[in-house]
Amino acid sequence: MNSQLQFQVNHWLNQIKDDSEKQALMSLIEQGDEAKIAACFSGRLAFGTAGIRGIVGPGPMGMNRLVVRQTTAGLGNYLTAQMKDACQRGVVIGYDGRHDSRQFAHDAAGVLTAMGFKVFLTAKVAPTPLVAFGVKHFGAAAGIVVTASHNPPAYNGYKVYWHNGAQIIPPHDSGIAACIEQAATQELPFIELIDATKQDKLHWLMDDFFEAYRHQIYHAGVLQFGGEKADDGKLFTPGADNISLAYTAMHGVGANMAETVLKDAGFNRVYSVAAQREPDGDFPTVNFPNPEEPGAMDLVIAEAKLHNAMLACANDPDADRFAVAVRKDDGEYQPLTGDQVGGLLGHYLLSHSNPDQRLVGCTIVSSSLLSKIAAGFNAHYYTTLTGFKWLMNVGIAQSSPHSRFLFAYEEALGYTVGNLVWDKDGLSAIVAFAKLCAELSCKNQTIWDRLTEIYQQHGYHLNTQVSIATSGDAGGIGAKLRADTVQQIGGFGVQACADLNASEKRYADGHVDTLDLPKSDVLIYELEQGLRVIVRPSGTEPKVKCYYEVCLPMLAGETLTQVRERAQLKMSALINAHQASL
């Protein structure tokens, strides 16, 4: 081991307070695995707009207790520099069911209370949306949730919310990162939680906090559309008795709250997958705890078949995403895409919302269907870069008394219904979707009927993402495409090209519009016949990420299956032609 690496290792060992983490590094040293040791000390987990996330392990490149304490000290220093009353307003901290999450959350609380912050710490595992809710609920300066969402078991992460309840965006990410670098060179403040509690710095969030979220879901105006009051004054959902659904928490933390808010709304025929109901950081029944992955929803679909349920629903392990498969006439279950759920929920909410609450949005790589639905309702629509950090911060900025926020989504199964939580929330989403199904059942209609109505009005939309490996630096592809004037893709003429790096949109007739979006290495081609191609070179791998959209009018008497087959043929031709051109 070279002297510089030896110095880094010794310095790290001297700072570690946890014997198990010290042993993990000592094992690598005893094995003489210098390559692995060097990788652990090759840099620092980068702090970005999603916080930090990585494999649990030793060194500054791993997720471990020392990294969490350093990150928290940096965050605390940044908060006090940005807000005079940050310590008094406090920080909300929650955590998921992964093996190290509770310890990491307690470490963060110990650092912040030692720095003089009031800390609101959940006394048990909590869905991620509840931490975002807590920031607004307490008027806190920030929020921290320790979670790796749907990443594999070896991972953990640390996500930060700003005082507005939304995920941080620039310049806060770089500002916090700079403070972390500085904190990592200094002695870290820390007090034990028992002492922080005695000093009235640490406030444990008990059942009453979880009940506060439940109460807000129950009374949320956007979740009362079509609801009625029973003789005892309680709200209920007409048609709820007609809806049955299977549910899985996917070894995460969503089951208790999901089952509760569904029951509150009148949905009593809910069947949870027992093998996946309780938190388990090993995720023993799924290879990858992401409901988007093939096979991840096998058990919940099997549960739905067992009860002949209408829906098979899933939250990801931290319950901020929602996935659903719907029973078809043949008894099989068809998963809906995130764009389909986004279109369905957007249509449902807009069809009931007040004229002053019709602000909806999605990301640039999501389907264009929501924009057309919004236009049909004379609603306000916005689009952002990918990520809920953008969706929510822009939604907050554009909200006004005459145009209040209603709904936003991204195609990766994230949805925000109303302004209870300024982040994706898989719990309110499952309630909203169940209510939509109940409303349809009162009309003897199904989700498939509603999708057909939407597609008949706005066209059938098919969206696909494909990653294309390149032989060299992927960034060179973006530069090459910008240098060339692309006039057609796959035989379809380019009607407009939006270059987010240049903040401009050029049309085939020569005129140019200025784009009101942050600069990003993204090109969006709008083609003839309702086609769209989005190209984004990867910043970390030699590949280009491409997002394709095909929009076809539904023909008279055409079924969903028939129009889907037509769209898939056109999509295949478009992808093949575009890949060949790259």
PDB file of all heavy atoms in Angstrom, residues 114-133:
ATOM      1  N   ALA A 114     -26.287  18.310  18.403  1.00  0.00           N
ATOM      2  CA  ALA A 114     -25.043  18.848  18.964  1.00  0.00           C
ATOM      3  C   ALA A 114     -24.717  20.219  18.384  1.00  0.00           C
ATOM      4  O   ALA A 114     -24.037  21.036  19.033  1.00  0.00           O
ATOM      5  CB  ALA A 114     -23.890  17.884  18.704  1.00  0.00           C
ATOM      6  N   MET A 115     -25.209  20.494  17.182  1.00  0.00           N
ATOM      7  CA  MET A 115     -24.985  21.792  16.535  1.00  0.00           C
ATOM      8  C   MET A 115     -26.026  22.825  16.945  1.00  0.00           C
ATOM      9  O   MET A 115     -25.998  23.963  16.467  1.00  0.00           O
ATOM     10  CB  MET A 115     -24.981  21.616  15.011  1.00  0.00           C
ATOM     11  CG  MET A 115     -23.868  20.733  14.491  1.00  0.00           C
ATOM     12  SD  MET A 115     -23.947  20.478  12.691  1.00  0.00           S
ATOM     13  CE  MET A 115     -23.373  22.075  12.097  1.00  0.00           C
ATOM     14  N   GLY A 116     -26.959  22.411  17.810  1.00  0.00           N
ATOM     15  CA  GLY A 116     -27.967  23.353  18.292  1.00  0.00           C
ATOM     16  C   GLY A 116     -29.300  23.288  17.583  1.00  0.00           C
ATOM     17  O   GLY A 116     -30.204  24.087  17.867  1.00  0.00           O
ATOM     18  N   PHE A 117     -29.454  22.339  16.674  1.00  0.00           N
ATOM     19  CA  PHE A 117     -30.714  22.207  15.925  1.00  0.00           C
ATOM     20  C   PHE A 117     -31.771  21.467  16.745  1.00  0.00           C
ATOM     21  O   PHE A 117     -31.462  20.508  17.455  1.00  0.00           O
ATOM     22  CB  PHE A 117     -30.502  21.428  14.624  1.00  0.00           C
ATOM     23  CG  PHE A 117     -29.892  22.222  13.518  1.00  0.00           C
ATOM     24  CD1 PHE A 117     -28.511  22.338  13.407  1.00  0.00           C
ATOM     25  CD2 PHE A 117     -30.685  22.865  12.581  1.00  0.00           C
ATOM     26  CE1 PHE A 117     -27.934  23.055  12.379  1.00  0.00           C
ATOM     27  CE2 PHE A 117     -30.116  23.600  11.546  1.00  0.00           C
ATOM     28  CZ  PHE A 117     -28.736  23.703  11.454  1.00  0.00           C
ATOM     29  N   LYS A 118     -33.011  21.915  16.622  1.00  0.00           N
ATOM     30  CA  LYS A 118     -34.137  21.099  17.047  1.00  0.00           C
ATOM     31  C   LYS A 118     -34.300  20.004  15.989  1.00  0.00           C
ATOM     32  O   LYS A 118     -34.228  20.281  14.787  1.00  0.00           O
ATOM     33  CB  LYS A 118     -35.410  21.934  17.121  1.00  0.00           C
ATOM     34  CG  LYS A 118     -36.653  21.159  17.528  1.00  0.00           C
ATOM     35  CD  LYS A 118     -37.939  21.974  17.305  1.00  0.00           C
ATOM     36  CE  LYS A 118     -37.964  23.214  18.152  1.00  0.00           C
ATOM     37  NZ  LYS A 118     -39.247  23.960  17.988  1.00  0.00           N
ATOM     38  N   VAL A 119     -34.481  18.779  16.417  1.00  0.00           N
ATOM     39  CA  VAL A 119     -34.622  17.663  15.474  1.00  0.00           C
ATOM     40  C   VAL A 119     -35.914  16.914  15.770  1.00  0.00           C
ATOM     41  O   VAL A 119     -36.221  16.597  16.924  1.00  0.00           O
ATOM     42  CB  VAL A 119     -33.421  16.699  15.567  1.00  0.00           C
ATOM     43  CG1 VAL A 119     -33.696  15.412  14.785  1.00  0.00           C
ATOM     44  CG2 VAL A 119     -32.160  17.373  15.026  1.00  0.00           C
ATOM     45  N   PHE A 120     -36.673  16.653  14.706  1.00  0.00           N
ATOM     46  CA  PHE A 120     -37.872  15.828  14.777  1.00  0.00           C
ATOM     47  C   PHE A 120     -37.522  14.481  14.143  1.00  0.00           C
ATOM     48  O   PHE A 120     -37.339  14.385  12.930  1.00  0.00           O
ATOM     49  CB  PHE A 120     -39.030  16.466  14.007  1.00  0.00           C
ATOM     50  CG  PHE A 120     -39.359  17.874  14.439  1.00  0.00           C
ATOM     51  CD1 PHE A 120     -38.757  18.958  13.816  1.00  0.00           C
ATOM     52  CD2 PHE A 120     -40.273  18.108  15.448  1.00  0.00           C
ATOM     53  CE1 PHE A 120     -39.066  20.266  14.195  1.00  0.00           C
ATOM     54  CE2 PHE A 120     -40.590  19.401  15.844  1.00  0.00           C
ATOM     55  CZ  PHE A 120     -39.982  20.482  15.215  1.00  0.00           C
ATOM     56  N   LEU A 121     -37.402  13.440  14.951  1.00  0.00           N
ATOM     57  CA  LEU A 121     -36.938  12.137  14.475  1.00  0.00           C
ATOM     58  C   LEU A 121     -38.050  11.097  14.614  1.00  0.00           C
ATOM     59  O   LEU A 121     -38.615  10.929  15.707  1.00  0.00           O
ATOM     60  CB  LEU A 121     -35.717  11.700  15.278  1.00  0.00           C
ATOM     61  CG  LEU A 121     -35.152  10.307  15.018  1.00  0.00           C
ATOM     62  CD1 LEU A 121     -34.653  10.167  13.583  1.00  0.00           C
ATOM     63  CD2 LEU A 121     -34.028   9.998  16.003  1.00  0.00           C
ATOM     64  N   THR A 122     -38.350  10.396  13.531  1.00  0.00           N
ATOM     65  CA  THR A 122     -39.388   9.367  13.610  1.00  0.00           C
ATOM     66  C   THR A 122     -38.924   8.241  14.534  1.00  0.00           C
ATOM     67  O   THR A 122     -37.781   7.809  14.480  1.00  0.00           O
ATOM     68  CB  THR A 122     -39.728   8.792  12.225  1.00  0.00           C
ATOM     69  OG1 THR A 122     -38.565   8.198  11.646  1.00  0.00           O
ATOM     70  CG2 THR A 122     -40.255   9.882  11.300  1.00  0.00           C
ATOM     71  N   ALA A 123     -39.849   7.786  15.365  1.00  0.00           N
ATOM     72  CA  ALA A 123     -39.517   6.738  16.330  1.00  0.00           C
ATOM     73  C   ALA A 123     -39.536   5.358  15.699  1.00  0.00           C
ATOM     74  O   ALA A 123     -39.154   4.381  16.342  1.00  0.00           O
ATOM     75  CB  ALA A 123     -40.500   6.785  17.500  1.00  0.00           C
ATOM     76  N   LYS A 124     -39.975   5.284  14.446  1.00  0.00           N
ATOM     77  CA  LYS A 124     -40.007   4.013  13.721  1.00  0.00           C
ATOM     78  C   LYS A 124     -39.831   4.306  12.243  1.00  0.00           C
ATOM     79  O   LYS A 124     -39.767   5.473  11.838  1.00  0.00           O
ATOM     80  CB  LYS A 124     -41.331   3.282  13.971  1.00  0.00           C
ATOM     81  CG  LYS A 124     -42.561   4.076  13.542  1.00  0.00           C
ATOM     82  CD  LYS A 124     -43.852   3.335  13.896  1.00  0.00           C
ATOM     83  CE  LYS A 124     -45.082   4.140  13.490  1.00  0.00           C
ATOM     84  NZ  LYS A 124     -46.351   3.457  13.869  1.00  0.00           N
ATOM     85  N   VAL A 125     -39.747   3.244  11.447  1.00  0.00           N
ATOM     86  CA  VAL A 125     -39.583   3.435   9.999  1.00  0.00           C
ATOM     87  C   VAL A 125     -40.742   4.264   9.461  1.00  0.00           C
ATOM     88  O   VAL A 125     -41.862   4.203   9.972  1.00  0.00           O
ATOM     89  CB  VAL A 125     -39.500   2.085   9.260  1.00  0.00           C
ATOM     90  CG1 VAL A 125     -38.257   1.328   9.636  1.00  0.00           C
ATOM     91  CG2 VAL A 125     -40.758   1.246   9.511  1.00  0.00           C
ATOM     92  N   ALA A 126     -40.458   5.029   8.421  1.00  0.00           N
ATOM     93  CA  ALA A 126     -41.472   5.920   7.865  1.00  0.00           C
ATOM     94  C   ALA A 126     -41.380   5.956   6.352  1.00  0.00           C
ATOM     95  O   ALA A 126     -40.274   6.004   5.802  1.00  0.00           O
ATOM     96  CB  ALA A 126     -41.301   7.331   8.422  1.00  0.00           C
ATOM     97  N   PRO A 127     -42.517   5.951   5.655  1.00  0.00           N
ATOM     98  CA  PRO A 127     -42.484   6.168   4.211  1.00  0.00           C
ATOM     99  C   PRO A 127     -41.861   7.525   3.887  1.00  0.00           C
ATOM    100  O   PRO A 127     -42.072   8.503   4.626  1.00  0.00           O
ATOM    101  CB  PRO A 127     -43.975   6.141   3.827  1.00  0.00           C
ATOM    102  CG  PRO A 127     -44.634   5.322   4.904  1.00  0.00           C
ATOM    103  CD  PRO A 127     -43.876   5.667   6.150  1.00  0.00           C
ATOM    104  N   THR A 128     -41.115   7.592   2.835  1.00  0.00           N
ATOM    105  CA  THR A 128     -40.469   8.840   2.426  1.00  0.00           C
ATOM    106  C   THR A 128     -41.442  10.013   2.324  1.00  0.00           C
ATOM    107  O   THR A 128     -41.110  11.125   2.756  1.00  0.00           O
ATOM    108  CB  THR A 128     -39.710   8.623   1.106  1.00  0.00           C
ATOM    109  OG1 THR A 128     -38.540   7.827   1.372  1.00  0.00           O
ATOM    110  CG2 THR A 128     -39.270   9.929   0.479  1.00  0.00           C
ATOM    111  N   PRO A 129     -42.655   9.835   1.756  1.00  0.00           N
ATOM    112  CA  PRO A 129     -43.565  10.982   1.665  1.00  0.00           C
ATOM    113  C   PRO A 129     -43.881  11.617   3.014  1.00  0.00           C
ATOM    114  O   PRO A 129     -44.167  12.819   3.072  1.00  0.00           O
ATOM    115  CB  PRO A 129     -44.823  10.382   1.033  1.00  0.00           C
ATOM    116  CG  PRO A 129     -44.363   9.164   0.316  1.00  0.00           C
ATOM    117  CD  PRO A 129     -43.220   8.635   1.118  1.00  0.00           C
ATOM    118  N   LEU A 130     -43.824  10.837   4.101  1.00  0.00           N
ATOM    119  CA  LEU A 130     -44.133  11.416   5.408  1.00  0.00           C
ATOM    120  C   LEU A 130     -43.055  12.380   5.875  1.00  0.00           C
ATOM    121  O   LEU A 130     -43.336  13.321   6.627  1.00  0.00           O
ATOM    122  CB  LEU A 130     -44.346  10.315   6.454  1.00  0.00           C
ATOM    123  CG  LEU A 130     -45.807   9.874   6.621  1.00  0.00           C
ATOM    124  CD1 LEU A 130     -46.273   9.055   5.429  1.00  0.00           C
ATOM    125  CD2 LEU A 130     -46.019   9.111   7.916  1.00  0.00           C
ATOM    126  N   VAL A 131     -41.808  12.166   5.446  1.00  0.00           N
ATOM    127  CA  VAL A 131     -40.751  13.113   5.803  1.00  0.00           C
ATOM    128  C   VAL A 131     -40.966  14.429   5.067  1.00  0.00           C
ATOM    129  O   VAL A 131     -40.859  15.510   5.658  1.00  0.00           O
ATOM    130  CB  VAL A 131     -39.368  12.524   5.484  1.00  0.00           C
ATOM    131  CG1 VAL A 131     -38.266  13.532   5.817  1.00  0.00           C
ATOM    132  CG2 VAL A 131     -39.149  11.232   6.269  1.00  0.00           C
ATOM    133  N   ALA A 132     -41.297  14.350   3.781  1.00  0.00           N
ATOM    134  CA  ALA A 132     -41.603  15.566   3.020  1.00  0.00           C
ATOM    135  C   ALA A 132     -42.811  16.275   3.631  1.00  0.00           C
ATOM    136  O   ALA A 132     -42.833  17.511   3.753  1.00  0.00           O
ATOM    137  CB  ALA A 132     -41.867  15.212   1.562  1.00  0.00           C
ATOM    138  N   PHE A 133     -43.817  15.525   4.026  1.00  0.00           N
ATOM    139  CA  PHE A 133     -44.989  16.083   4.708  1.00  0.00           C
ATOM    140  C   PHE A 133     -44.571  16.749   6.012  1.00  0.00           C
ATOM    141  O   PHE A 133     -45.037  17.849   6.350  1.00  0.00           O
ATOM    142  CB  PHE A 133     -46.000  14.967   4.982  1.00  0.00           C
ATOM    143  CG  PHE A 133     -47.039  15.308   6.014  1.00  0.00           C
ATOM    144  CD1 PHE A 133     -48.108  16.131   5.699  1.00  0.00           C
ATOM    145  CD2 PHE A 133     -46.937  14.808   7.308  1.00  0.00           C
ATOM    146  CE1 PHE A 133     -49.066  16.452   6.665  1.00  0.00           C
ATOM    147  CE2 PHE A 133     -47.883  15.121   8.277  1.00  0.00           C
ATOM    148  CZ  PHE A 133     -48.960  15.944   7.952  1.00  0.00           C
TER     149      PHE A 133
END
